[in-house]
mmCIF file with all atom_site columns, all heavy atoms in Angstrom:
data_model
loop_
_atom_site.group_PDB
_atom_site.id
_atom_site.type_symbol
_atom_site.label_atom_id
_atom_site.label_alt_id
_atom_site.label_comp_id
_atom_site.label_asym_id
_atom_site.label_entity_id
_atom_site.label_seq_id
_atom_site.pdbx_PDB_ins_code
_atom_site.Cartn_x
_atom_site.Cartn_y
_atom_site.Cartn_z
_atom_site.occupancy
_atom_site.B_iso_or_equiv
_atom_site.pdbx_formal_charge
_atom_site.auth_seq_id
_atom_site.auth_comp_id
_atom_site.auth_asym_id
_atom_site.auth_atom_id
_atom_site.pdbx_PDB_model_num
ATOM 1  N N   . ILE A 1 29 ? 20.039 0.869   13.477 1.00 93.00 ? 29 ILE A N   1
ATOM 2  C CA  . ILE A 1 29 ? 20.376 -0.156  12.525 1.00 93.00 ? 29 ILE A CA  1
ATOM 3  C C   . ILE A 1 29 ? 21.699 0.251   11.778 1.00 93.00 ? 29 ILE A C   1
ATOM 4  O O   . ILE A 1 29 ? 22.577 -0.573  11.535 1.00 93.00 ? 29 ILE A O   1
ATOM 5  C CB  . ILE A 1 29 ? 19.211 -0.359  11.546 1.00 93.00 ? 29 ILE A CB  1
ATOM 6  C CG1 . ILE A 1 29 ? 18.057 -1.016  12.208 1.00 93.00 ? 29 ILE A CG1 1
ATOM 7  C CG2 . ILE A 1 29 ? 19.677 -1.275  10.329 1.00 93.00 ? 29 ILE A CG2 1
ATOM 8  C CD1 . ILE A 1 29 ? 16.769 -1.032  11.393 1.00 93.00 ? 29 ILE A CD1 1
ATOM 9  N N   . ALA A 1 30 ? 21.728 1.532   11.350 1.00 91.00 ? 30 ALA A N   1
ATOM 10 C CA  . ALA A 1 30 ? 22.894 1.993   10.541 1.00 91.00 ? 30 ALA A CA  1
ATOM 11 C C   . ALA A 1 30 ? 24.205 1.910   11.350 1.00 91.00 ? 30 ALA A C   1
ATOM 12 O O   . ALA A 1 30 ? 25.265 1.764   10.762 1.00 91.00 ? 30 ALA A O   1
ATOM 13 C CB  . ALA A 1 30 ? 22.635 3.417   10.144 1.00 91.00 ? 30 ALA A CB  1
ATOM 14 N N   . GLU A 1 31 ? 24.128 1.986   12.681 1.00 93.00 ? 31 GLU A N   1
ATOM 15 C CA  . GLU A 1 31 ? 25.325 1.956   13.543 1.00 93.00 ? 31 GLU A CA  1
ATOM 16 C C   . GLU A 1 31 ? 25.865 0.530   13.681 1.00 93.00 ? 31 GLU A C   1
ATOM 17 O O   . GLU A 1 31 ? 27.012 0.372   14.053 1.00 93.00 ? 31 GLU A O   1
ATOM 18 C CB  . GLU A 1 31 ? 25.055 2.553   14.860 1.00 93.00 ? 31 GLU A CB  1
ATOM 19 C CG  . GLU A 1 31 ? 24.869 4.108   14.795 1.00 93.00 ? 31 GLU A CG  1
ATOM 20 C CD  . GLU A 1 31 ? 24.560 4.677   16.098 1.00 93.00 ? 31 GLU A CD  1
ATOM 21 O OE1 . GLU A 1 31 ? 24.601 3.991   17.183 1.00 93.00 ? 31 GLU A OE1 1
ATOM 22 O OE2 . GLU A 1 31 ? 24.196 5.919   16.147 1.00 93.00 ? 31 GLU A OE2 1
ATOM 23 N N   . LEU A 1 32 ? 25.047 -0.497  13.455 1.00 93.00 ? 32 LEU A N   1
ATOM 24 C CA  . LEU A 1 32 ? 25.512 -1.861  13.595 1.00 93.00 ? 32 LEU A CA  1
ATOM 25 C C   . LEU A 1 32 ? 26.482 -2.196  12.462 1.00 93.00 ? 32 LEU A C   1
ATOM 26 O O   . LEU A 1 32 ? 26.246 -1.835  11.342 1.00 93.00 ? 32 LEU A O   1
ATOM 27 C CB  . LEU A 1 32 ? 24.326 -2.793  13.622 1.00 93.00 ? 32 LEU A CB  1
ATOM 28 C CG  . LEU A 1 32 ? 23.377 -2.540  14.838 1.00 93.00 ? 32 LEU A CG  1
ATOM 29 C CD1 . LEU A 1 32 ? 22.132 -3.424  14.700 1.00 93.00 ? 32 LEU A CD1 1
ATOM 30 C CD2 . LEU A 1 32 ? 24.074 -2.841  16.145 1.00 93.00 ? 32 LEU A CD2 1
ATOM 31 N N   . GLU A 1 33 ? 27.504 -3.005  12.781 1.00 90.00 ? 33 GLU A N   1
ATOM 32 C CA  . GLU A 1 33 ? 28.582 -3.235  11.847 1.00 90.00 ? 33 GLU A CA  1
ATOM 33 C C   . GLU A 1 33 ? 28.330 -4.312  10.785 1.00 90.00 ? 33 GLU A C   1
ATOM 34 O O   . GLU A 1 33 ? 28.654 -4.197  9.647  1.00 90.00 ? 33 GLU A O   1
ATOM 35 C CB  . GLU A 1 33 ? 29.863 -3.576  12.593 1.00 90.00 ? 33 GLU A CB  1
ATOM 36 C CG  . GLU A 1 33 ? 30.271 -2.421  13.474 1.00 90.00 ? 33 GLU A CG  1
ATOM 37 C CD  . GLU A 1 33 ? 31.740 -2.297  13.643 1.00 90.00 ? 33 GLU A CD  1
ATOM 38 O OE1 . GLU A 1 33 ? 32.486 -3.012  12.962 1.00 90.00 ? 33 GLU A OE1 1
ATOM 39 O OE2 . GLU A 1 33 ? 32.154 -1.466  14.426 1.00 90.00 ? 33 GLU A OE2 1
ATOM 40 N N   . SER A 1 34 ? 27.715 -5.396  11.189 1.00 91.00 ? 34 SER A N   1
ATOM 41 C CA  . SER A 1 34 ? 27.539 -6.537  10.221 1.00 91.00 ? 34 SER A CA  1
ATOM 42 C C   . SER A 1 34 ? 26.093 -6.648  9.815  1.00 91.00 ? 34 SER A C   1
ATOM 43 O O   . SER A 1 34 ? 25.159 -6.237  10.499 1.00 91.00 ? 34 SER A O   1
ATOM 44 C CB  . SER A 1 34 ? 28.034 -7.841  10.842 1.00 91.00 ? 34 SER A CB  1
ATOM 45 O OG  . SER A 1 34 ? 27.146 -8.267  11.828 1.00 91.00 ? 34 SER A OG  1
ATOM 46 N N   . LYS A 1 35 ? 25.915 -7.295  8.635  1.00 90.00 ? 35 LYS A N   1
ATOM 47 C CA  . LYS A 1 35 ? 24.521 -7.583  8.161  1.00 90.00 ? 35 LYS A CA  1
ATOM 48 C C   . LYS A 1 35 ? 23.811 -8.430  9.138  1.00 90.00 ? 35 LYS A C   1
ATOM 49 O O   . LYS A 1 35 ? 22.590 -8.235  9.379  1.00 90.00 ? 35 LYS A O   1
ATOM 50 C CB  . LYS A 1 35 ? 24.658 -8.248  6.802  1.00 90.00 ? 35 LYS A CB  1
ATOM 51 C CG  . LYS A 1 35 ? 23.334 -8.632  6.223  1.00 90.00 ? 35 LYS A CG  1
ATOM 52 C CD  . LYS A 1 35 ? 23.476 -9.316  4.884  1.00 90.00 ? 35 LYS A CD  1
ATOM 53 C CE  . LYS A 1 35 ? 22.180 -9.837  4.319  1.00 90.00 ? 35 LYS A CE  1
ATOM 54 N NZ  . LYS A 1 35 ? 22.317 -10.533 3.058  1.00 90.00 ? 35 LYS A NZ  1
ATOM 55 N N   . GLU A 1 36 ? 24.500 -9.429  9.729  1.00 92.00 ? 36 GLU A N   1
ATOM 56 C CA  . GLU A 1 36 ? 23.902 -10.327 10.685 1.00 92.00 ? 36 GLU A CA  1
ATOM 57 C C   . GLU A 1 36 ? 23.362 -9.544  11.890 1.00 92.00 ? 36 GLU A C   1
ATOM 58 O O   . GLU A 1 36 ? 22.252 -9.759  12.364 1.00 92.00 ? 36 GLU A O   1
ATOM 59 C CB  . GLU A 1 36 ? 24.874 -11.398 11.138 1.00 92.00 ? 36 GLU A CB  1
ATOM 60 C CG  . GLU A 1 36 ? 25.197 -12.420 10.055 1.00 92.00 ? 36 GLU A CG  1
ATOM 61 C CD  . GLU A 1 36 ? 26.184 -11.889 9.023  1.00 92.00 ? 36 GLU A CD  1
ATOM 62 O OE1 . GLU A 1 36 ? 26.948 -10.889 9.308  1.00 92.00 ? 36 GLU A OE1 1
ATOM 63 O OE2 . GLU A 1 36 ? 26.158 -12.399 7.890  1.00 92.00 ? 36 GLU A OE2 1
#
Side-chain angles (χ1 to χ4, degrees):
I29 293 169
E31 290 178 9
L32 297 172
E33 298 212 8
S34 72
K35 178 181 175 181
E36 291 76 23

